[in-house]
């Protein structure tokens, strides 16, 4: 086995300097363009090489998608049965409407500047996977709804979709999702061309982190199969006999109960969450894992907060157990993201 040094790992790693133009982050004396040996950096330092232009393009697309999403949260989203609906129609719904776009705007700006590139690339790639399903659901909601009148919950309002007209907010939302998907594709193409390494301080706990992420991912999908906010059943009493009867009211459709594009989008959304829960903890370096888990956290947390908004903003809806589970799953992803960021253990020496 190769000899190792207690401070910096295998001798062959210490002997190889970073590529020309590489920079070492996390060291007080590191300078841009300095060709310092890896041994001069602490164990948790990040060595960043040249950032390809495609990675910066992915950052620009991600930032623009966030900006478009922020702008699209405030105009009219849909006009359903003569009722104008906005994603940010109340003070409580603003947070739900701007959460994902705001984080995407910040992450896209960081990636466009070439800072910690695989952190941003992982975020863009993981965020794009569920965005494909969300895009299909939005296309169904804005166009195909006119062919099947039904009761649905749109932005916290229970409406009959007998007549649907798209608004500026819907158009901007679809554009934002499309840009997110494009940013994810560019991130995937730029991943192998981007050099970014660290000392492997997360490696000893990756398996535990992956196990937790998979459990949370499966729980998330199970919660998504039922509405996060639903119409409660009514109890009707017969005045002549006093017999009480439970009458089921038509409420919002579950993720996998919708037809056509929405069903396909729901399947893709559920599959993407489980798949990304498996992939994100395996991304290297450590900050790439943080970026992937952050994308899952904002998507699931946004879905959980949407259920809270719908139940709190309507007297006809009540919060369901799956809705509460979805919010807990979002917070669990946040916890996993923090753990991936904070957990740093020295790799084992490998001595027999």
């Amino acid at each position: 086995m190769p000899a190792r040094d207690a401070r910096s790992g295998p001798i062959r790693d210490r002997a190889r300097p970073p590529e020309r133009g590489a920079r070492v982050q996390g060291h007080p004396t590191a300078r841009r363009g300095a060709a310092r040996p890896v041994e001069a950096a602490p164990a948790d330092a990040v060595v960043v090489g040249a950032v390809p232009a495609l990675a910066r393009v992915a950052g620009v697309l991600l930032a623009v998608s966030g900006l478009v999403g922020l702008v699209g949260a405030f105009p009219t989203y849909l006009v359903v049965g003569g009722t104008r609906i906005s994603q940010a129609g109340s003070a409580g719904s603003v947070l739900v409407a701007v959460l994902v776009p705001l984080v995407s705007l910040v992450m896209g700006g960081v990636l466009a500047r070439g800072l910690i590139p695989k952190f941003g690339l992982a975020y863009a790639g993981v965020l794009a996977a569920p965005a494909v399903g969300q895009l299909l659901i939005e296309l169904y909601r804005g166009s195909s709804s006119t062919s099947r009148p039904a009761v649905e919950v749109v932005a916290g309002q229970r409406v009959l979709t007998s007549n649907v007209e798209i608004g500026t907010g819907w158009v901007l939302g679809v554009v934002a999702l499309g840009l997110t998907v494009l940013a994810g594709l560019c991130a995937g193409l730029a991943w192998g061309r981007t050099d970014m390494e660290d000392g492997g301080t997360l490696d000893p706990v990756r398996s535990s982190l992956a196990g937790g992420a998979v459990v949370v991912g499966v729980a998330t999908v199970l919660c998504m199969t039922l509405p996060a906010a639903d119409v409660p059943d009514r109890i009707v009493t017969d005045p002549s006999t006093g017999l009480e009867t439970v009458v089921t009211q038509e409420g919002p459709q579950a993720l996998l109960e919708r037809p056509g594009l929405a069903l396909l989008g729901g399947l893709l959304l559920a599959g993407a969450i489980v798949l990304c829960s498996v992939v994100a903890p395996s991304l290297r370096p450590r900050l790439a894992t943080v970026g992937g888990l952050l994308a899952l956290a904002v998507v699931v947390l946004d879905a959980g907060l949407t259920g809270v908004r719908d139940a709190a903003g309507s007297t006809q809806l009540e919060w369901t157990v799956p809705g509460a589970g979805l919010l807990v799953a979002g917070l669990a992803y946040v916890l996993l993201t923090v753990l991936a960021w904070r957990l740093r253990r020295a790799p084992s020496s490998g001595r027999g």
Side-chain angles (χ1 to χ4, degrees):
M1 295 183 62
R4 298 179 64 92
D5 182 86
R7 296 174 299 171
S8 59
I11 289 177
R12 65 172 182 268
D13 292 339
R14 291 190 292 133
R16 184 186 63 185
E19 297 179 359
R20 179 177 298 274
R23 59 185 186 273
V24 180
Q25 299 181 1
H27 192 270
T29 61
R31 299 190 305 272
R32 184 180 297 272
R36 299 182 59 90
V38 178
E39 64 177 351
D44 60 347
V46 178
V47 179
V48 181
V51 180
L54 193 57
R56 297 180 186 272
V57 171
V60 172
L61 289 172
L62 185 62
V64 174
S65 73
L67 182 60
V68 173
L70 285 174
V71 175
F74 298 95
T76 300
Y77 173 62
L78 291 174
V79 181
V80 184
T83 303
R84 292 184 176 272
I85 299 174
S86 173
Q87 294 281 16
S90 62
S93 61
V94 172
L95 174 62
V96 181
V98 304
L99 176 60
V100 176
L102 185 60
V103 177
S104 296
L105 178 61
V106 174
M107 293 294 294
V110 171
L111 179 57
R113 293 181 59 192
L115 304 176
I116 45 178
K118 284 198 172 180
F119 175 55
L121 290 175
Y123 177 88
V126 172
L127 187 70
V132 175
Q134 293 171 332
L135 179 59
L136 294 180
I137 292 174
E138 285 299 321
L139 292 176
Y140 162 83
R141 183 176 290 172
S143 58
S144 300
S145 298
T146 57
S147 63
R148 36 140 221 99
V151 174
E152 289 190 10
V153 175
V154 181
Q157 299 188 38
R158 184 170 177 259
V159 293
L160 178 63
T161 59
S162 57
N163 182 25
V164 177
E165 299 177 10
I166 62 175
T168 304
W170 181 89
V171 174
L172 293 176
V174 169
V175 171
L177 288 172
L179 290 173
T180 301
V181 174
L182 288 177
L185 292 175
C186 291
L189 294 174
W191 182 267
R193 309 175 189 179
T194 305
D195 296 324
M196 179 175 168
E197 298 294 341
D198 62 6
T201 54
L202 188 65
D203 293 349
V205 295
R206 282 187 185 275
S207 58
S208 300
L209 197 65
V214 171
V215 171
V216 176
V218 172
T220 299
V221 172
L222 291 177
C223 292
M224 282 184 168
T225 56
L226 294 174
D230 204 353
V231 179
D233 296 335
R234 290 192 303 114
I235 299 179
V236 179
T237 303
D238 189 338
S240 59
T241 62
L243 181 65
E244 294 183 342
T245 305
V246 177
V247 178
T248 302
Q249 302 185 86
E250 185 178 4
Q253 293 178 313
L255 183 67
L256 302 181
E257 291 180 351
R258 303 168 184 173
L261 281 177
L263 176 59
L264 178 59
L267 291 173
L268 291 176
L269 176 60
I273 289 176
V274 174
L275 179 61
C276 291
S277 298
V278 175
V279 173
S282 66
L283 297 176
R284 298 174 185 271
R286 175 178 59 86
L287 289 177
T289 295
V290 176
L293 290 175
L294 177 61
L296 287 169
V298 296
V299 169
V300 178
L301 187 60
D302 183 71
L305 291 175
T306 298
V308 177
R309 177 201 64 186
D310 292 347
S314 175
T315 57
Q316 299 177 309
L317 300 173
E318 64 178 13
W319 203 26
T320 63
V321 173
L326 200 58
L327 182 60
V328 172
L331 295 175
Y333 274 120
V334 173
L335 176 60
L336 290 174
T337 304
V338 173
L339 288 176
W341 176 48
R342 298 296 299 173
L343 288 178
R344 302 177 186 181
R345 296 184 181 180
S348 58
S349 61
R351 294 177 181 176

